[in-house]
Amino acid sequence: MPLVTIIIPIYNVEKYLKKCLDSVINQTYQNLEIILINDFSTDYSKHIAEQYVKNYKNIKLINNKINLGIGESRNIGLDIANGEYIYFLDSDDWIDKTAIQRLVNIALNYQAKLVECSYTMVLGKISIQKGKKEKNITIKNFQKNPKLLYNNQGYAWSKLYQTNLFEDLRFPKKIMFEDFAFTGALLTKVRECIKTSEKLYFYRRHPSSITFSSKCAPNEKFLDILESGKILRENCKKLGTYQEYENIIEEIIRYKNLIALMDSNTWFQMKLEDRMHLLNLMYQFLSQEQNMDNFESWDTVKEAMQTRKIYQLRMQYLKCQLQKAKQFNTASDTPLEDAKKIIRKYTREKGL
């Protein structure tokens, strides 16, 4: 049985941490190395982690002296990992007791470098199933069908990786959406992913999570999605895969940029005038890097509008708002910096 290292960054999750750690120690697969990285938590999380370290010999605890963020905390775990495989688990989530056993079995049977499972999204007491109901195995060959990368460049969790995949790749530091920049590049390197439709990962969405809150309220960190796209491009160039996958990588980046534009347009906590100024500035900035005037013609946008009615409505609303924003005539030599200044006026201190 190969050793599997589970890396769990921890930051102010005292309410959820025990459920997360219990799901790991109760795995049917027992050859585990569990690395906890306490990212300078200010609540009871550190004490909870210390109790598990006392009770279980295969758990290590690293205490960051300052808050480094989830990306750098994962990197610290990668630097000291001894396993043949790596698994990332967020500390407010949990996994099925058979998760690691199933993923290892699939990896060995298919001689796969990367295996992924489906997941269940948990919103309070509501569980939303993701993926197909029947249990099946899908081989995703990104080399034969690069468009599969578009649907697969999401989260670092729910995947089992061969450790040697990380020899020349690390998570970006101190930004949100670090998974986007990291996982998208890694998938171009691995070229193939084996996916089981089994829902072995439980992804908790809650108001105090940074990503969730930043999408619901004005937050400058949400604009990190723009930076993460640039890092994705540079990572692929470093790995030598950019030329092969250039078209799909650029399509992914500009689509993510459009998502940032759409989401920032829903921050109704702002005064209308400030929101219109923000929208105008964001549109100016994005137009510097790509042709935003014809974003409705992008293949990914057209496909999303055809398959998702809610997306079609959001796009129609964005078009309407952009027409209003033009009336404010916001001109700037530094549109992104000016947009951040507007956001800072409304940023909530707590939880961001």
Side-chain angles (χ1 to χ4, degrees), residues 96-282:
D96 184 272
K97 66 179 181 180
T98 65
I100 303 301
Q101 182 72 67
R102 287 291 300 127
L103 294 174
V104 169
N105 287 346
I106 294 169
L108 295 177
N109 289 340
Y110 286 84
Q111 295 184 327
K113 296 180 179 180
L114 174 60
V115 182
E116 179 182 14
C117 67
S118 295
Y119 67 94
T120 298
M121 182 185 293
V122 181
L123 298 166
K125 296 182 179 180
I126 302 173
S127 296
I128 303 172
Q129 300 291 324
K130 298 289 182 177
K132 299 178 181 179
K133 292 183 179 180
E134 66 273 14
K135 294 182 180 180
N136 58 25
I137 299 291
T138 303
I139 301 175
K140 295 184 176 182
N141 190 312
F142 306 120
Q143 198 168 20
K144 291 182 179 179
N145 187 1
K147 282 194 172 183
L148 290 174
L149 285 169
Y150 171 73
N151 298 318
N152 228 72
Q153 33 73 33
Y155 305 107
W157 46 258
S158 79
K159 300 174 178 67
L160 184 75
Y161 308 82
Q162 272 191 2
T163 304
N164 58 15
L165 291 174
F166 302 98
E167 290 175 354
D168 47 9
L169 194 63
R170 286 292 188 271
F171 288 92
K173 303 176 183 179
K174 280 293 183 180
I175 68 167
M176 285 175 55
F177 309 103
E178 69 288 325
D179 285 11
F180 166 49
F182 171 85
T183 309
L186 185 140
L187 291 174
T188 66
K189 176 183 179 179
V190 77
R191 300 185 182 277
E192 186 177 89
C193 172
I194 309 298
K195 182 171 183 178
T196 172
S197 62
E198 295 174 272
K199 299 167 185 66
L200 304 174
Y201 193 100
F202 294 86
Y203 167 49
R204 191 194 303 272
R205 291 288 297 272
H206 54 89
S208 60
S209 67
I210 295 176
T211 304
F212 185 82
S213 60
S214 68
K215 288 184 177 181
C216 299
N219 185 349
E220 184 184 344
K221 291 295 290 179
F222 184 67
L223 300 186
D224 282 354
I225 195 169
L226 307 176
E227 181 63 24
S228 66
K230 295 178 182 178
I231 297 173
L232 168 61
R233 183 187 295 117
E234 291 306 311
N235 279 340
C236 290
K237 288 180 179 179
K238 182 173 70 172
L239 294 173
T241 60
Y242 179 76
Q243 187 173 1
E244 181 179 356
Y245 294 100
E246 179 178 358
N247 290 339
I248 192 66
I249 290 167
E250 293 302 328
E251 190 175 355
I252 289 169
I253 291 171
R254 65 182 185 176
Y255 179 73
K256 286 289 187 179
N257 289 350
L258 183 61
I259 292 293
L261 187 68
M262 288 202 304
D263 284 356
S264 61
N265 185 43
T266 63
W267 289 336
F268 291 109
Q269 296 91 331
M270 286 184 170
K271 293 179 181 178
L272 176 62
E273 183 175 349
D274 282 338
R275 189 152 51 86
M276 292 297 100
H277 276 301
L278 174 65
L279 195 60
N280 197 312
L281 290 163
M282 287 278 290

Side-chain angles (χ1 to χ4, degrees), residues 72-99:
E72 184 61 5
S73 293
R74 285 174 176 163
N75 291 339
I76 290 170
L78 286 171
D79 289 341
I80 62 173
N82 296 302
E84 296 176 53
Y85 291 93
I86 300 290
Y87 190 84
F88 298 110
L89 175 60
D90 286 356
S91 53
D92 44 3
D93 301 337
W94 70 97
I95 52 178
D96 184 272
K97 66 179 181 180
T98 65

